[in-house]
Amino acid sequence: MENAKIGTKCVQGGYQAGNGEPRQVPIIQSTTFKYATGDAMGKLFDLEASGYFYSRLQNPTCDTIAAKIAELEGGTAAMLTSSGQAANFFATFNICGCGDHIVASSAIYGGTYNLLAVTMKRMGIDVTFVAPDCTEDKLNAAFKPETKLVFGETIANPALNVLDIEKFANAAHAHGVPLIVDNTFPTSVNCNPFKWGADIVTHSTTKYMDGHGSAVGGAIVDSGKFDWTKYADKYPGLCTPDESYHGVTYTERFGLGGAFITKATVQLMRDLGSVQSPFSAYLLNLGLESLHVRMKKHCENGLAVAKYLENHEKIAWVNYPGLESSKDYALAQKYMPNGTCGVVSFGVKGGREAAGAFMENLKIVAIETHVADARSCCLHPATTTHRQMNDEELEAAGVSPDLVRLSCGLEDAEDLIADIEQALSQI
């Protein structure tokens, strides 16, 4: 599958049925696994053998789907988590601890902003937020001796800023730390962050990867390219013996291609238990099989709606990376030449009240705390997903009071535009 096109990997990656075996990925809905001897199981606990003993750590169904996502991203190892939020927490906490520091783009999902700025701060981890379009000098100035990673979103939710992956990767590597990129909105189909220097990719698989709003989940993929051993003093958790596993050193035992994901699995998943269920992984795989087809339609609908809104007298502004008028159009063409996503952000003239009235008059598009699935939906982020932010934080995140986030599903674009038109006519 290594040289296969992205569509073939979506359909057949991660799992190849043997003679007489199930054509569909089996659901191994079991908490535990039987062994003939205690010694055989003991080798699993000591990380001396591969296999399964308890589904809180690993499960065959989950590992199969994780392997598919690793293929899609071009990574060396991957793991599934219970949600995208869990994926971002595990990916950062796997190499950060009390006294450490993170540099992050300010234009990120509100829940992730709160995770970094509030929850992880209570754990003794500090963060400096920088504008995604900041100068290289300002970006480099954000680093400290205790900085352990840089974090950003390929396409910010909901501001839709496009991250200059190469710029952020170069800065991260110049300071000896990895770049972690949340690739949820464009997915592996439209963007490959590893190509541009990212080291670790996360996903909320709840969104386009699942595609049908059927199961919450997340994923972490390691490129296997960041040399932890070069900065062993900075990353002792990966490069020095782990006494909780009889002194195993992850980079020595599992190499650069497996150390990060193995540690996240046997430490964080073991202790925190944010596991994805085998059935949710099965549903995720059904979505992945059509991801390459669906993303084209989502992007077509997003662009059509964005062009319509751009010329409407009741719309104050429109932000969609696929529009030539977008300030991030050049970056979108560089990193995502085949399309970005189906999400459009725009402002309704009249501000917050007008935005609320517009959404309430929609008939096909539903108001939901969700985004990026087969059915179109919308949200007012300032009063929902980003509600905990103050005005200054909202401005830094690119979330204005009049911003409406509209996720274009797989309906006919003409019907979506007609629904938007009738809703706007009632304001």
Side-chain angles (χ1 to χ4, degrees), residues 61-123:
T61 305
C62 295
D63 281 358
T64 298
I65 312 311
K68 172 180 280 192
I69 295 174
E71 285 189 37
L72 292 175
E73 287 288 358
T76 57
M79 65 186 293
L80 299 187
T81 61
S82 58
S83 68
Q85 191 77 325
N88 283 333
F89 175 59
F90 276 26
T92 52
F93 193 59
N94 199 36
I95 51 177
C96 281
C98 184
D100 290 335
H101 174 255
I102 294 170
V103 174
S105 168
S106 61
I108 55 177
Y109 168 61
T112 308
Y113 187 99
N114 197 76
L115 169 68
L116 298 176
V118 180
T119 302
M120 293 184 74
K121 186 174 183 178
R122 288 165 54 195
M123 301 167 71

Side-chain angles (χ1 to χ4, degrees), residues 255-322:
L256 297 181
F260 184 88
I261 294 297
T262 300
K263 179 179 180 294
T265 300
V266 301
Q267 282 189 353
L268 301 186
M269 193 63 81
R270 174 196 64 188
D271 296 342
L272 301 174
S274 297
V275 65
Q276 186 167 152
S277 77
F279 185 66
S280 291
Y282 172 83
L283 293 175
L284 168 58
N285 187 54
L286 294 181
L288 288 171
E289 289 179 351
S290 63
L291 180 63
H292 59 300
V293 179
R294 290 185 288 103
M295 286 307 294
K296 290 180 181 178
K297 180 63 174 175
H298 283 297
C299 291
E300 288 174 5
N301 282 354
L303 183 58
V305 167
K307 287 182 175 179
Y308 165 78
L309 290 170
E310 192 175 35
N311 296 309
H312 200 288
E313 61 180 7
K314 293 187 179 181
I315 299 300
W317 56 269
V318 179
N319 188 17
Y320 181 72

Side-chain angles (χ1 to χ4, degrees), residues 144-161:
K144 300 179 180 180
E146 57 270 23
T147 301
K148 290 296 181 67
L149 64 93
V150 179
F151 180 87
E153 293 178 357
T154 314
I155 300 177
N157 176 14
L160 301 185
N161 302 79

Side-chain angles (χ1 to χ4, degrees), residues 1-191:
M1 282 291 171
E2 184 178 351
N3 297 319
K5 301 295 185 183
I6 193 75
T8 303
K9 291 179 180 179
C10 283
V11 177
Q12 296 203 22
Y15 176 72
Q16 295 295 314
N19 187 47
E21 292 181 348
R23 190 66 184 88
Q24 182 56 271
V25 175
I27 306 173
I28 311 300
Q29 193 69 43
S30 179
T31 59
T32 49
F33 302 83
K34 179 183 176 182
Y35 286 87
T37 67
D39 287 342
M41 184 179 289
K43 289 182 179 180
L44 299 176
F45 279 88
D46 289 342
L47 306 182
E48 293 178 355
S50 60
Y52 303 92
F53 58 88
Y54 196 51
S55 282
R56 189 181 79 235
L57 275 82
Q58 289 179 284
N59 174 279
T61 305
C62 295
D63 281 358
T64 298
I65 312 311
K68 172 180 280 192
I69 295 174
E71 285 189 37
L72 292 175
E73 287 288 358
T76 57
M79 65 186 293
L80 299 187
T81 61
S82 58
S83 68
Q85 191 77 325
N88 283 333
F89 175 59
F90 276 26
T92 52
F93 193 59
N94 199 36
I95 51 177
C96 281
C98 184
D100 290 335
H101 174 255
I102 294 170
V103 174
S105 168
S106 61
I108 55 177
Y109 168 61
T112 308
Y113 187 99
N114 197 76
L115 169 68
L116 298 176
V118 180
T119 302
M120 293 184 74
K121 186 174 183 178
R122 288 165 54 195
M123 301 167 71
I125 301 170
D126 195 16
V127 60
T128 298
F129 290 102
V130 296
D133 58 354
C134 69
T135 64
E136 291 185 10
D137 287 343
K138 286 188 176 180
L139 177 55
N140 283 302
F143 286 83
K144 300 179 180 180
E146 57 270 23
T147 301
K148 290 296 181 67
L149 64 93
V150 179
F151 180 87
E153 293 178 357
T154 314
I155 300 177
N157 176 14
L160 301 185
N161 302 79
V162 176
L163 187 74
D164 191 341
I165 301 172
E166 197 167 28
K167 179 180 76 173
F168 274 72
N170 288 340
H173 297 159
H175 292 271
V177 302
L179 171 62
I180 300 177
V181 173
D182 185 329
N183 200 33
T184 295
F185 268 16
T187 78
S188 320
V189 170
N190 285 339
C191 185

Side-chain angles (χ1 to χ4, degrees), residues 406-424:
L406 195 154
S407 175
C408 299
L410 301 179
E411 303 91 348
D412 286 331
E414 293 83 356
D415 291 332
L416 295 179
I417 291 172
D419 191 27
I420 294 168
E421 173 61 34
Q422 66 82 24
L424 287 172

